[in-house]
Amino acid sequence: MTSVEPPEHVRATFGLREVTPVPLGDWDGGWRLGDVVLSPVADHARAAWSARVRETLKVDGLRLARPVRATDGRYVVSGWRGDTFLEGVPEPRHDEVVSVSLRLHQATAKLERPRFLVQPPVAPWVDVDVFVAADRAAWEAVPLRSLRAGGVPLATTPDTQRSMELIGQLATLRKPVQTPAQLVHGDLFGTVLFEGALTPGLTDITPYWRPAPWASGVIVVDALAWGGADDGLLERWSDLPEWPQMCLRAVMFRLAVHALHPRSTPEAFPGLARTADMVRLML
């Protein structure tokens, strides 16, 4: 989906007044203006953090979109950020995306935990809060108990109720993990760009504070549930640390997103349920 065209004053502040915006399909509602992409920002703190990190981060075998600052030095202007354009589109090259995850998280292991990752969701909820709550549900002792205690309404459709039931069942299979948490990108499926023989490209970093193998697990769960991946994908990465437990928490996370997100559709559930069954067989 494309967003509304970036307003003239935003284009001017980024020094792009005379450039005609062209909508892009793979940049979260972004618009290309020459060698720059302007994209709407869902959360200012996360967008500014991602820009600061991508400005200097170096990852072997990965093209990173670098932030383009406005003429006054800002990363974000009136809800828009600027980045260098990268050639490429997402492709179902799932093993390569997992490889990107491993290289990326070697580089991000040294990053400090941003303050906003410690803060709980607050009303009124936006998309970011849904993902924060879903992430916590996969790791907290009693999944989603904090939401119920806070009076957050939970959806009551058959598929979301089934998601909640599955989360409760899977939670009983969790065991403590020893792999340390670090800064990871928790949404790599469908966001890595491929273009011929070029190295893969990445336009943004969606930050979570979890073990690096968990981020790989999220890729595999997404690829199996919705990406048409072959079932062998789960086994091919089984040498990653504590892989069954990481995949267990990854599928709980995605089930929680399905249960909490207002735009979830019943059609998305069967793939998740099937993937949950596959993960359960590994334990």
Side-chain angles (χ1 to χ4, degrees), residues 12-33:
T13 308
F14 279 100
L16 301 167
R17 187 190 302 272
E18 304 300 324
V19 188
T20 301
V22 178
L24 292 171
D26 302 311
W27 286 69
D28 292 326
W31 295 72
R32 183 178 180 181
L33 297 92

Side-chain angles (χ1 to χ4, degrees), residues 121-130 152:
V122 293
W125 276 29
V126 295
D127 269 14
V128 167
D129 296 307
V130 170
V152 175

Side-chain angles (χ1 to χ4, degrees), residues 258-283:
H258 185 80
L260 296 172
H261 205 291
R263 293 194 298 277
S264 294
T265 64
E267 294 77 19
F269 178 72
L272 271 177
R274 177 180 174 274
T275 304
D277 287 341
M278 294 175 64
V279 169
R280 202 190 314 238
L281 290 173
M282 284 201 307
L283 298 167

Side-chain angles (χ1 to χ4, degrees), residues 103-127:
R103 296 196 300 275
L104 173 64
H105 296 135
Q106 283 183 336
T108 61
K110 63 183 182 295
L111 298 177
E112 295 182 356
R113 187 177 190 176
R115 186 181 307 171
F116 57 74
L117 288 185
V118 183
Q119 299 167 345
V122 293
W125 276 29
V126 295
D127 269 14

Side-chain angles (χ1 to χ4, degrees), residues 61-63 86-89 93 96 103 192-201:
L62 184 65
R63 295 174 293 140
L86 294 182
E87 295 283 354
V89 295
R93 293 156 66 169
E96 292 180 62
R103 296 196 300 275
V192 178
L193 305 181
F194 294 97
E195 179 66 25
L198 291 176
T199 56

Side-chain angles (χ1 to χ4, degrees), residues 60-277:
D60 289 340
L62 184 65
R63 295 174 293 140
L64 272 172
R66 303 297 182 186
V68 175
R69 292 178 182 248
T71 53
D72 58 6
R74 284 182 289 171
Y75 293 117
V76 179
V77 176
S78 299
W80 292 82
R81 76 173 205 253
D83 299 293
T84 55
F85 174 72
L86 294 182
E87 295 283 354
V89 295
E91 294 182 9
R93 293 156 66 169
H94 310 304
D95 289 285
E96 292 180 62
V97 176
V98 177
S99 295
V100 166
S101 177
L102 300 182
R103 296 196 300 275
L104 173 64
H105 296 135
Q106 283 183 336
T108 61
K110 63 183 182 295
L111 298 177
E112 295 182 356
R113 187 177 190 176
R115 186 181 307 171
F116 57 74
L117 288 185
V118 183
Q119 299 167 345
V122 293
W125 276 29
V126 295
D127 269 14
V128 167
D129 296 307
V130 170
F131 290 96
V132 169
D135 169 54
R136 293 185 178 204
W139 296 84
E140 61 191 355
V142 181
L144 301 175
R145 181 167 64 177
S146 58
L147 300 186
R148 295 188 182 96
V152 175
L154 299 176
T156 56
T157 61
D159 58 293
T160 55
Q161 288 182 326
R162 183 67 183 125
S163 293
M164 298 289 290
E165 293 169 5
L166 268 178
I167 291 168
Q169 294 167 11
L170 295 171
T172 66
L173 303 175
R174 290 179 302 181
K175 296 178 181 178
V177 297
Q178 305 302 318
T179 309
Q182 63 163 84
L183 198 292
V184 299
H185 186 327
D187 192 25
L188 280 163
F189 174 79
T191 65
V192 178
L193 305 181
F194 294 97
E195 179 66 25
L198 291 176
T199 56
L202 191 63
T203 64
D204 198 7
I205 298 175
T206 305
Y208 291 82
W209 192 256
R210 295 299 176 199
W214 170 83
S216 298
V218 174
I219 297 166
V220 169
V221 165
D222 289 352
L224 290 169
W226 306 306
D230 67 280
D231 292 355
L233 180 65
L234 196 60
E235 179 65 27
R236 285 199 293 277
W237 295 98
S238 60
D239 59 339
L240 293 179
E242 302 181 286
W243 184 238
Q245 287 293 321
M246 296 301 170
C247 291
L248 176 62
R249 285 160 172 81
V251 77
M252 288 178 64
F253 165 60
R254 283 305 191 205
L255 283 165
V257 171
H258 185 80
L260 296 172
H261 205 291
R263 293 194 298 277
S264 294
T265 64
E267 294 77 19
F269 178 72
L272 271 177
R274 177 180 174 274
T275 304
D277 287 341

